[in-house]
C-alpha cells in the first residue's frame, strides 16, 4: 500500500497535517523510512511518534533483550515454486546459526499474506484477493525442522527450546515454551504469532531467572 | 529502587490495583521481570502495557532494525578502581567485534548514574547523593577509541562510522552521523544519549537508502 501510494499520502501535507498510522514502531519497515525521505524531498516536516513493537515487547517472554541477536523473517514456501527444498530462500537459517553460535536468542517474525492474488487472478488482472494468511507458531516450527533436516548444519534441532508467542500485549496473549518438536503441535489461537529460538550458553539454554519466569508456560 | 522496594510495591496489590510506571518497555530491565515473578508468587495478576523503547526507536536513524546485533552497555570507568586499562570490564568490546564481523550494527546504551554516593558518604553511611550523571555520545566515542587503542583487535577504528542520538522521540531530538573520531567532539546537548556503531557489509558501511536518509545528519 505505502509503496504505491506515497504520492497520495503526501499530497497536501505541505499545507495541512497528515497523520499516517502504522502497526508497531513507524521505523520498523523500510517503506516507512522511504516515506520520510520522500516527505523531506518535498520539504514536508515529519514527526514520528514511537510505539511498542514486537522487537522489544518480546521481553514479555522473560528473556533479556540484550541476549537477542539478529531478527529473522520466515516466509510461506507454497507459492512461487519454492516447494522443493533446494530452491527455498533460507538466509534466515544462517542468521539463526550465527546467533546460536554466540549464545543469542533469535526472534523469528512470521509471514503475513494480505491482499495476495491467486496466479489465475493475477494473470487475468482481476482484483480479487485471497483471504489473509498469517503463519502460525506450529507452521514456523515445522519449516524450521524441515530446513534443518535438509541442511544438516546443526543450527538447531528438534530438542532446541523455543518460545511461541501470540497476540502479545492483548488480553488474550499466549506464551508457550517447548522444544521445536513439541511446538509443531501447539495451537496458539488467532494471529499474530512470533517464535523465539533460545540461545545456548555453555550448554545451558535458560538462566535461573528466565526458567523461573517461564516455568508457567511450558507445554 | 525496584530491587529494594519490591515488597513495598506489591504491598496490597492483591486487594487493589497498583500501577508501576517505568521508562521504556516494562520488560527492558531484569529487575522488572523479577518483580513479575514475585507478584506471581503472591498470586497477584500482572498486566504489562508495552511501550516504545530505544531498542526499536533507534529505527529513527534510518538503519533497518533487522541489521542490528547484540545491544551493549558502556559504563563510566572513573569509579571503582577501573582507571587502568587492563582492569576495565570490556565484555562489550567482544560483542561489538562479533556484531561487526557479521556486518551488523551495534546499539550502545550509555551509562546513567543516579543516586550514587561518594565513597566518603558511603563509608560514613550518609544518605547524600551525587548529582546524576549521564554518559554523552562524546564520552562514549572516547571510551570506544581508548579501548580499541589498548586492545588492538580491530573491532572498529577512528574512521568507523557511528551515529549519536539524543532525546529520541522528543521535539529536541538530535541525530549526528560521523566517524568515531569526529563524534568525540560533537555536543549532543542534554541527556539521554545513545550511540550506534554501524556494521560494514562487503566494505560498505551504509546502503543507498540509509545514506539518503542520513545525509542530513553528517557532522
Amino acid at each position: 500500500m505505502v509503496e504505491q501510494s506515497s504520492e497520495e499520502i503526501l499530497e497536501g501535507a505541505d499545507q495541512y497535517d497528515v497523520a499516517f498510522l502504522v502497526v508497531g514502531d513507524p521505523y520498523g519497515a523500510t517503506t516507512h523510512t522511504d516515506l520520510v525521505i520522500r516527505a523531506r524531498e518535498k520539504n514536508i516536516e515529519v514527526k514520528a511518534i514511537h510505539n511498542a513493537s514486537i522487537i522489544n515487547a518480546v521481553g514479555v517472554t522473560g528473556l533479556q533483550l540484550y541476549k537477542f541477536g539478529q531478527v529473522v523473517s520466515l516466509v510461506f514456501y507454497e507459492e512461487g515454486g519454492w516447494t522443493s527444498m533446494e530452491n527455498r530462500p533460507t538466509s534466515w537459517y544462517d542468521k539463526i546459526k550465527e546467533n546460536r553460535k554466540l549464545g543469542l536468542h533469535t526472534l523469528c517474525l512470521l509471514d503475513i499474506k494480505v491482499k495476495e492474488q491467486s496466479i489465475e487472478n493475477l494473470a487475468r488482472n482481476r482484483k480479487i484477493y485471497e483471504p489473509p494468511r498469517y503463519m502460525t507458531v506450529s507452521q514456523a516450527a515445522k519449516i524450521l525442522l524441515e530446513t534443518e533436516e535438509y541442511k544438516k548444519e546443526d543450527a538447531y534441532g528438534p530438542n532446541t527450546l523455543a518460545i511461541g508467542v501470540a497476540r502479545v500485549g492483548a488480553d488474550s496473549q499466549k506464551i508457550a515454551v517447548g522444544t521445536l518438536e513439541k511446538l509443531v503441535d501447539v495451537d496458539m489461537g488467532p494471529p499474530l504469532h512470533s517464535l523465539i529460538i533460545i540461545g545456548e550458553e555453555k550448554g545451558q539454554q535458560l538462566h535461573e531467572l528466565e526458567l523461573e519466569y517461564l516455568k508457567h508456560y511450558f507445554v
Side-chain angles (χ1 to χ4, degrees), chain A:
Chain A
M1 200 293 256
V2 187
E3 289 90 332
Q4 293 99 41
S5 314
S6 68
E7 287 300 315
E8 207 179 315
I9 292 168
L10 294 174
E11 207 183 287
D14 52 343
Q15 289 154 53
Y16 44 82
D17 286 347
V18 170
F20 179 58
L21 280 173
V22 302
V23 176
D25 191 88
Y27 288 101
T30 320
T31 42
H32 302 161
T33 310
D34 188 56
L35 190 62
V36 173
I37 293 174
R38 285 168 195 252
R40 282 186 190 151
E41 279 167 1
K42 295 174 190 285
N43 287 315
I44 297 165
E45 199 196 333
V46 178
K47 190 170 154 52
I49 296 168
H50 293 284
N51 184 19
S53 137
I54 189 66
I55 304 264
N56 63 36
V58 72
V60 75
T61 56
L63 300 179
Q64 293 310 303
L65 293 178
Y66 64 87
K67 295 297 290 171
F68 277 79
Q70 307 166 72
V71 178
V72 305
S73 295
L74 300 189
V75 294
F76 283 120
Y77 285 126
E78 302 91 272
E79 309 88 350
W82 289 333
T83 37
S84 74
M85 263 294 173
E86 54 269 42
N87 293 329
R88 291 184 177 187
T90 52
S91 60
W92 53 263
Y93 180 87
D94 297 325
K95 290 180 182 172
I96 296 173
K97 199 172 138 189
E98 288 164 352
N99 283 345
R100 282 178 54 82
K101 243 190 229 164
L102 298 170
L104 301 173
H105 313 309
T106 308
L107 169 62
C108 306
L109 304 177
L110 308 186
D111 207 0
I112 295 173
K113 293 272 184 210
V114 285
K115 280 200 125 187
E116 297 281 316
Q117 288 166 282
S118 69
I119 291 172
E120 205 195 320
N121 285 329
L122 199 66
R124 302 188 181 203
N125 201 18
R126 289 192 297 217
K127 298 252 173 278
I128 300 170
Y129 301 103
E130 300 300 300
R133 291 193 310 143
Y134 305 91
M135 190 185 285
T136 65
V137 163
S138 163
Q139 289 170 321
K142 217 175 142 206
I143 288 174
L144 284 164
L145 290 179
E146 277 173 12
T147 308
E148 178 58 64
E149 214 169 292
Y150 172 72
K151 296 232 176 205
K152 293 194 199 317
E153 295 176 28
D154 247 345
Y156 51 83
N159 293 319
T160 300
L161 272 187
I163 309 178
V165 294
R167 303 173 303 286
V168 169
D171 281 337
S172 68
Q173 161 183 295
K174 192 173 171 176
I175 299 175
V177 190
T179 60
L180 281 173
E181 199 169 44
K182 278 203 172 168
L183 289 182
V184 170
D185 296 321
V186 86
D187 178 7
M188 303 290 290
L192 293 172
H193 295 187
S194 299
L195 182 79
I196 300 102
I197 303 176
I198 293 175
E200 253 169 77
E201 229 178 345
K202 292 164 193 150
Q204 202 191 352
Q205 297 205 92
L206 288 169
H207 292 207
E208 206 180 328
L209 185 74
E210 292 170 335
L211 202 60
E212 178 65 26
Y213 181 92
L214 282 169
K215 68 180 181 194
H216 303 276
Y217 302 116
F218 270 86
V219 290

